[in-house]
Amino acid sequence: MFQAKGEKHWVIPDGYIPEHSSGELTSHESVCVLNCSSEEALLRFTIFFEDREPMEDILVVIPGRRTKHIRTSSLMKEGMPIPVGVPYAIEVKSDIDVIVQYSRLDSTQAENALMSVMAYPVR
Amino acid sequence: MFQAKGEKHWVIPDGYIPEHSSGELTSHESVCVLNCSSEEALLRFTIFFEDREPMEDILVVIPGRRTKHIRTSSLMKEGMPIPVGVPYAIEVKSDIDVIVQYSRLDSTQAENALMSVMAYPVR
Amino acid sequence: MFQAKGEKHWVIPDGYIPEHSSGELTSHESVCVLNCSSEEALLRFTIFFEDREPMEDILVVIPGRRTKHIRTSSLMKEGMPIPVGVPYAIEVKSDIDVIVQYSRLDSTQAENALMSVMAYPVR
Amino acid sequence: MFQAKGEKHWVIPDGYIPEHSSGELTSHESVCVLNCSSEEALLRFTIFFEDREPMEDILVVIPGRRTKHIRTSSLMKEGMPIPVGVPYAIEVKSDIDVIVQYSRLDSTQAENALMSVMAYPVR
């Protein structure tokens, strides 16, 4: 049996899905999660905006001893995705300890731009 | 009622507003703040320089349960913005706990460059 | 005698070895380790995937008072490297305290993209 | 009187001064320091390498209530700079609390690449 590691609560204030792509790669963001434990982790996402109510309780499962690099464009609430071209923020709560990193690839121009941060662990 | 989360005091040592833009996007920096609580957060910015006195007490309000991606070029002290092309540093104090991330898009060249960091939480 | 500094256990959830390179530089990732102590540090890597069992117990030695910028493409388990073009995550355990940073250069397009994070210290 | 904030001891494992520049901007790294206090801060840099002894005791002064964005190419030990094109690591010790961030601009190709991390605070 492997133990859970990390934290249960993470925040990423700078979310943004670029509207355009060009060149070989598609603009996207990934929320990268590592679940070190033998058990499944149940994640609950809340998406915050500048000018409207949050999207709450988007669920994602991470199997035990696996990572998952979650495209934010795949997160849906009642069939609705996160809107593109809009500033937002991400809160992730997990039932067991996990570790969360956020990365963005922007290919608005043909050449790529990359950024990455560890999510902020709320204690 | 939702509780405030994060910290009240954050620092970003590497501030810089690029002088030039080209291509489709404009060079800019964003201070991205998430206010998880039901209450409004009042932020107080201090801008530090290499060779002159700090700009103090620039105020920004973040509504409850909202994020705000603040362009540093919008921060004004008595009508004066932060000068472009000059190294500076950012201190953010909030009356309630918030989470702060900093990102920069540089489009000095036609293709973009991106960088991002979580601000440093001072305890 | 110099003392060990940092932590013994670090995690990087967003690992990815780009498949393509163009321009002057080769796409690669580096796990950059600093060993401040006079003694050697023995690192043990575990590589986690989305859809298969982890690669465990890849060993790397960092001499005393030295840094090592380890290309992830050089990490081998029974002669097998980490597959390219596949999302993965990295866990590093060290027998003494070290400090770990992760950086990626993507030259899929001719112009480069860079990202970097401090690894997450598990306590 | 303003109080010192942050930490006295910081580490950046991934240092690298790119050999080439092209386009409008020069490849460089900056160690960005904020000194919130009214007093001067005295910084002491140690530069670690993969294959040789560290360069020790490079001194930099940060005036009170000022930031300084220090080009690593300006750090000298007995007239010798940090070699370019060589992996290295940076340790910063300060006599009072400061906050340290590290950023790199790579213009090996004409278009720029940027990366940034908060330095790791050793406690």
Side-chain angles (χ1 to χ4, degrees):
Chain A
M1 288 294 292
F2 291 93
Q3 232 194 306
K5 291 165 193 168
E7 298 282 336
K8 290 191 178 65
H9 190 175
W10 298 84
V11 169
I12 304 141
D14 185 5
Y16 185 81
I17 305 178
E19 286 175 275
H20 302 292
S21 293
S22 54
E24 267 184 55
L25 301 176
T26 307
S27 289
H28 68 269
E29 303 169 304
S30 296
V31 177
C32 303
V33 184
L34 178 59
N35 176 8
C36 293
S37 86
S38 307
E39 292 171 81
E40 223 173 61
L42 177 62
L43 272 51
R44 194 175 292 268
F45 283 76
T46 303
I47 306 299
F48 291 90
F49 298 98
E50 291 195 322
D51 56 3
R52 65 196 94 170
E53 288 301 302
M55 288 167 69
E56 291 179 276
D57 294 329
I58 303 173
L59 305 181
V60 176
V61 172
I62 316 291
R65 305 279 288 162
R66 293 290 182 273
T67 187
K68 203 160 180 172
H69 293 196
I70 305 159
R71 296 276 175 116
T72 53
S73 58
S74 74
L75 296 174
M76 298 277 175
K77 180 67 185 178
E78 291 158 12
M80 293 291 293
I82 299 171
V84 302
V86 163
Y88 71 95
I90 304 168
E91 186 183 33
V92 184
K93 288 182 177 176
S94 172
D95 61 343
I96 61 172
D97 286 350
V98 294
I99 302 109
V100 178
Q101 184 178 348
Y102 166 93
S103 302
R104 187 190 304 161
L105 172 81
D106 188 317
S107 62
T108 304
Q109 303 287 345
E111 309 304 329
N112 304 316
L114 270 181
M115 66 181 233
S116 190
V117 289
M118 282 297 156
Y120 184 76
V122 180
R123 275 143 191 167
Chain B
M1 288 294 292
F2 290 93
Q3 231 194 307
K5 290 164 193 168
E7 298 282 336
K8 290 191 178 65
H9 190 175
W10 298 84
V11 168
I12 304 141
D14 184 6
Y16 186 81
I17 305 179
E19 287 175 274
H20 302 292
S21 294
S22 54
E24 268 183 55
L25 301 175
T26 308
S27 289
H28 69 269
E29 303 169 303
S30 296
V31 177
C32 302
V33 184
L34 178 59
N35 176 7
C36 293
S37 86
S38 307
E39 293 171 80
E40 225 172 62
L42 178 61
L43 272 52
R44 194 175 291 270
F45 284 75
T46 303
I47 306 298
F48 291 90
F49 298 99
E50 291 195 322
D51 56 2
R52 64 196 95 169
E53 287 301 301
M55 289 166 69
E56 291 178 275
D57 294 329
I58 303 173
L59 304 180
V60 176
V61 172
I62 316 290
R65 305 280 288 161
R66 292 290 182 275
T67 186
K68 203 160 180 172
H69 293 196
I70 304 159
R71 295 277 176 117
T72 53
S73 57
S74 74
L75 297 174
M76 298 278 176
K77 179 68 185 178
E78 291 158 13
M80 293 292 291
I82 300 171
V84 302
V86 163
Y88 71 95
I90 304 168
E91 186 183 32
V92 184
K93 288 181 177 178
S94 173
D95 61 343
I96 61 172
D97 285 350
V98 294
I99 302 108
V100 178
Q101 184 177 347
Y102 166 94
S103 302
R104 187 190 304 161
L105 172 80
D106 189 316
S107 61
T108 304
Q109 302 287 345
E111 311 301 331
N112 304 315
L114 271 180
M115 66 181 233
S116 190
V117 289
M118 284 295 156
Y120 184 76
V122 179
R123 274 145 193 167
Chain C
M1 285 294 293
F2 291 92
Q3 230 194 306
K5 291 164 192 168
E7 299 281 336
K8 289 190 179 66
H9 190 175
W10 299 84
V11 169
I12 304 142
D14 185 7
Y16 185 82
I17 304 177
E19 286 174 276
H20 303 291
S21 295
S22 53
E24 266 184 56
L25 300 176
T26 308
S27 290
H28 69 270
E29 304 169 302
S30 295
V31 177
C32 302
V33 183
L34 177 60
N35 176 8
C36 293
S37 86
S38 307
E39 293 169 80
E40 223 173 61
L42 177 63
L43 273 51
R44 193 175 293 268
F45 284 75
T46 304
I47 307 298
F48 290 89
F49 298 98
E50 291 195 320
D51 56 2
R52 65 196 93 171
E53 288 301 302
M55 287 166 69
E56 292 177 276
D57 294 327
I58 303 172
L59 304 180
V60 177
V61 171
I62 317 289
R65 305 279 289 162
R66 294 290 183 274
T67 187
K68 202 160 182 173
H69 293 196
I70 304 158
R71 296 277 175 116
T72 53
S73 58
S74 75
L75 297 174
M76 298 276 176
K77 179 68 185 178
E78 290 158 13
M80 293 291 293
I82 300 172
V84 302
V86 162
Y88 71 95
I90 304 168
E91 186 182 32
V92 184
K93 288 182 177 175
S94 172
D95 61 343
I96 61 171
D97 286 349
V98 295
I99 302 109
V100 178
Q101 182 177 350
Y102 166 94
S103 302
R104 187 191 305 163
L105 171 81
D106 188 317
S107 63
T108 304
Q109 301 287 346
E111 310 303 331
N112 304 317
L114 270 181
M115 65 181 234
S116 190
V117 290
M118 283 296 156
Y120 184 76
V122 179
R123 276 145 192 165
Chain D
M1 288 295 291
F2 291 93
Q3 230 194 307
K5 291 165 192 168
E7 299 281 337
K8 289 191 179 67
H9 190 175
W10 299 84
V11 169
I12 304 142
D14 184 7
Y16 185 83
I17 305 178
E19 285 174 277
H20 302 292
S21 295
S22 54
E24 267 183 55
L25 302 176
T26 307
S27 290
H28 69 269
E29 304 169 302
S30 296
V31 176
C32 302
V33 183
L34 178 59
N35 176 7
C36 293
S37 87
S38 307
E39 292 170 81
E40 225 172 59
L42 177 62
L43 272 51
R44 195 175 290 270
F45 284 75
T46 304
I47 306 298
F48 290 90
F49 298 98
E50 291 195 321
D51 56 3
R52 64 196 95 170
E53 288 302 301
M55 287 166 68
E56 291 178 277
D57 294 328
I58 303 172
L59 304 181
V60 177
V61 171
I62 317 289
R65 305 278 289 160
R66 293 290 183 273
T67 187
K68 202 160 182 173
H69 293 197
I70 305 158
R71 295 278 175 116
T72 53
S73 57
S74 74
L75 297 174
M76 297 277 176
K77 179 70 186 177
E78 290 157 15
M80 292 292 292
I82 299 171
V84 303
V86 162
Y88 71 96
I90 303 168
E91 186 182 33
V92 185
K93 288 181 177 177
S94 173
D95 61 343
I96 61 171
D97 286 349
V98 295
I99 301 109
V100 179
Q101 183 177 348
Y102 167 94
S103 302
R104 187 190 306 162
L105 172 80
D106 189 316
S107 61
T108 304
Q109 301 287 345
E111 311 302 330
N112 304 317
L114 271 180
M115 66 180 233
S116 190
V117 290
M118 283 295 156
Y120 185 76
V122 179
R123 275 145 191 163

